[in-house]
Amino acid sequence: MYFNPVEAMERSALEELQVDRLKDTLENAKNAPFYGTRLAGFNPADIQTVADITKLPFTTKDDLRSQYPYGLLTRPLDEFVRLHASSGTTGTPTAIFYTQKDLDSWADLMARCMYACGCRKSDVLQNMSGYGLFTGGLGIHYGSERLGMLTIPAGAGNTKRQIKLIRDFNVSILHIIPSFALYFAQKVQEEGFDPKDMPWRIALIGAEPHTEEVRQKIETMLNIKAYNSYGLSEMNGPGVAFECIHQNGMHVWEDAYIVEIINPETGDYVPEGEIGELVLTNLTREGMPIIRYRTRDLTRFIPGQCACGRTHRRIDRITGRADDMMILKGVNIYPMQIEQCLMTIPEVGQNYLIELVREGVSDQMTVKVEIKEEYFVEDMRILQGLQKKIAKNLCNEILLTPRVELCQHGSIPKTEGKAVRVIDRRDKD
Ligand code: ADP
Ligand code: ZN
């Protein structure tokens, strides 16, 4: 039923395990130049319960950057076997190092994730995310092999070849970034394939924020079950949290991570169930443990127990990064609010782009929206009506009326990696 019995461990035993591992992690972390200084006055024996973690300072992305490249390593460089880097979606990348043991435990966690949403040894997985420094490539790859699946390292892009591999080798599991999945789904239809005839049954989707509406769109268009996958390079990569078959939040593997949700302004815990910033601590990483890492990702705990029997707590889908927030005319707006609204409008296609410009003293938002081919008609009145409808729906959601530009399907550029949803030209104008 579980890949590893630890997944259903009693909470009290799980918390004891966390305390033991946290102490060991702190001892070990002190060997790194950064934590050697940062934790100099701290005695790991002062950790008696998981809650004692609040006695420790946070680690931020800026800390990692200031320690680039070796400041967080607990041992000599020749004990490391792999390097990854965050994709640099927000600024300078950070380098992440792994020992062989770290790679092994990461692969175990990944295999556990895939098992939880129904992947089995007999499945064939096609990894359609980019390889290279991005952890979604090799991370998923080794996890898939650990589970025993036949693994096809297809990489991103080249839809025709992807479809051929899928059909030739009876691929049942896809790993695909959600924005690419929407594009891919469209291409599958254009190539004249009926998704019902395809061998796939499960898509592992993650690596970028996406709404429930997008998940449903992927599921319908591809005739597949899509499970949300969360992780970040600083915490290994994917495999931090994953949905089980119930698709109701992602279990965070608490034997490997301590998970906290804080108010980003005060650093205090938010009340259970409220949205805040996710903070993660490694418990099983020997080469480069990171303590109380402020992910800047926003989410909340899902209260209650999961029907699957796993005891590890669940977090809700990430609503965005704290730094994704746009402030426009004094209103705080997240790209996911816009996505959620757009994706409920039947005429809207697969892609959109938000552009911000400064005009005189005021800021303007333009939302470019791809429209499904069948709705992209020549009658201006119909198109203007649609434009107004979209602007009005958006206004109901974000409380100001953006300009809406209707675009032909496929006309908004699609990158192979994570989607760029917002272009902010305000500083440059
Ligand atoms: P970068 O920060 O450069 O994108 P990573 O490749 O390490 O580097 O990406 C990790 C980040 O990607 C996370 O902090 C989060 O913002 C985002 N992310 C990963 N998985 C998901 C997911 N399932 N849902 C939403 N966002 C995700
Ligand atoms: Zn579950």
Side-chain angles (χ1 to χ4, degrees), residues 253-419:
W253 302 123
E254 291 185 81
D255 56 317
Y257 302 95
I258 288 180
V259 48
E260 307 172 83
I261 297 182
I262 62 162
N263 175 329
E265 248 108 75
T266 63
D268 297 333
Y269 287 169
V270 294
E272 183 82 11
E274 281 186 20
I275 291 184
E277 178 181 349
L278 186 68
V279 174
L280 293 166
T281 299
N282 289 119
L283 294 178
T284 53
R285 197 148 158 229
E286 62 172 22
M288 190 178 170
I290 304 182
I291 292 147
R292 300 199 86 200
Y293 183 62
R294 295 195 51 164
T295 64
R296 300 186 295 181
D297 291 329
L298 301 173
T299 185
R300 64 182 189 104
F301 281 120
I302 297 199
Q305 298 211 326
C306 186
C308 73
R310 289 180 180 80
T311 49
H312 299 229
R313 274 179 298 176
R314 288 165 298 160
I315 52 169
D316 208 345
R317 66 175 57 255
I318 309 290
T319 49
R321 301 187 197 218
D323 16 51
D324 280 347
M325 191 177 81
M326 305 173 275
I327 304 178
L328 208 81
K329 298 178 181 163
V331 183
N332 299 349
I333 304 167
Y334 284 96
M336 285 305 108
Q337 286 177 278
I338 294 186
E339 174 173 306
Q340 185 168 22
C341 175
L342 291 178
M343 292 301 162
T344 51
I345 302 172
E347 293 91 342
V348 168
Q350 271 62 264
N351 208 353
Y352 66 93
L353 182 67
I354 302 161
E355 280 184 356
L356 304 173
V357 290
R358 179 153 295 150
E359 282 176 5
V361 287
S362 90
D363 293 341
Q364 281 296 341
M365 176 190 283
T366 302
V367 182
K368 297 185 168 174
V369 192
E370 280 187 12
I371 298 303
K372 285 183 192 153
E373 205 128 43
E374 62 267 35
Y375 295 106
F376 210 82
V377 291
E378 277 176 10
D379 189 333
M380 278 303 280
R381 279 166 308 179
I382 297 181
L383 287 179
Q384 276 168 356
L386 178 58
Q387 207 171 15
K388 273 200 189 128
K389 174 168 102 172
I390 295 175
K392 187 161 165 265
N393 284 10
L394 283 171
C395 177
N396 288 342
E397 176 62 41
I398 62 176
L399 308 178
L400 47 87
T401 312
R403 287 182 192 147
V404 172
E405 233 175 74
L406 304 183
C407 304
Q408 205 160 357
H409 140 79
S411 64
I412 297 177
K414 168 76 196 90
T415 51
E416 278 186 2
K418 304 188 184 206

Side-chain angles (χ1 to χ4, degrees), residues 2 116 242-251 253 305-312 314:
Y2 309 114
F242 219 89
E243 276 183 334
C244 66
I245 50 165
H246 296 284
Q247 291 184 314
N248 183 16
M250 301 178 278
H251 291 280
W253 302 123
Q305 298 211 326
C306 186
C308 73
R310 289 180 180 80
T311 49
H312 299 229
R314 288 165 298 160

Side-chain angles (χ1 to χ4, degrees), residues 76-288:
L77 205 54
D78 75 350
E79 290 187 36
F80 291 86
V81 297
R82 171 94 64 81
L83 180 149
H84 278 286
S86 79
S87 49
T89 310
T90 55
T92 340
T94 35
I96 309 293
F97 297 80
Y98 307 73
T99 64
Q100 187 56 51
K101 200 166 155 227
D102 291 335
L103 289 181
D104 286 340
S105 56
W106 183 22
D108 279 335
L109 288 173
M110 266 320 325
R112 198 194 282 187
C113 293
M114 296 176 185
Y115 192 92
C117 72
C119 304
R120 293 295 178 268
K121 189 179 174 317
S122 52
D123 281 303
V124 181
L125 179 140
Q126 183 152 315
N127 191 2
M128 299 167 68
S129 77
Y131 274 67
L133 290 173
F134 173 53
T135 50
L138 291 176
I140 295 283
H141 185 99
Y142 280 96
S144 170
E145 289 185 352
R146 178 62 51 94
L147 183 50
M149 295 193 276
L150 176 63
T151 306
I152 306 179
N158 200 341
T159 333
K160 276 192 184 162
R161 194 191 54 182
Q162 301 273 9
I163 296 174
K164 179 163 168 50
L165 288 167
I166 289 166
R167 284 161 49 86
D168 288 357
F169 302 109
N170 238 352
V171 170
S172 46
I173 318 286
L174 311 178
H175 173 244
I176 186 165
I177 291 184
S179 55
F180 184 54
L182 288 172
Y183 173 83
F184 176 73
Q186 183 72 37
K187 286 280 172 203
V188 169
Q189 286 176 7
E190 281 170 18
E191 293 291 322
F193 293 107
D194 184 345
K196 292 203 180 67
D197 300 332
M198 299 302 260
W200 56 54
R201 58 188 188 92
I202 290 176
L204 316 175
I205 57 168
E208 63 183 9
H210 57 286
T211 53
E212 180 60 33
E213 286 72 17
V214 158
R215 183 235 294 273
Q216 283 170 15
K217 210 164 189 165
I218 293 169
E219 290 195 328
T220 320
M221 288 183 79
L222 286 175
N223 188 39
I224 206 164
K225 276 277 174 202
Y227 297 93
N228 197 353
S229 151
Y230 171 78
L232 61 165
S233 321
E234 294 85 344
M235 290 286 127
N236 286 333
V240 174
F242 219 89
E243 276 183 334
C244 66
I245 50 165
H246 296 284
Q247 291 184 314
N248 183 16
M250 301 178 278
H251 291 280
V252 184
W253 302 123
E254 291 185 81
D255 56 317
Y257 302 95
I258 288 180
V259 48
E260 307 172 83
I261 297 182
I262 62 162
N263 175 329
E265 248 108 75
T266 63
D268 297 333
Y269 287 169
V270 294
E272 183 82 11
E274 281 186 20
I275 291 184
E277 178 181 349
L278 186 68
V279 174
L280 293 166
T281 299
N282 289 119
L283 294 178
T284 53
R285 197 148 158 229
E286 62 172 22
M288 190 178 170

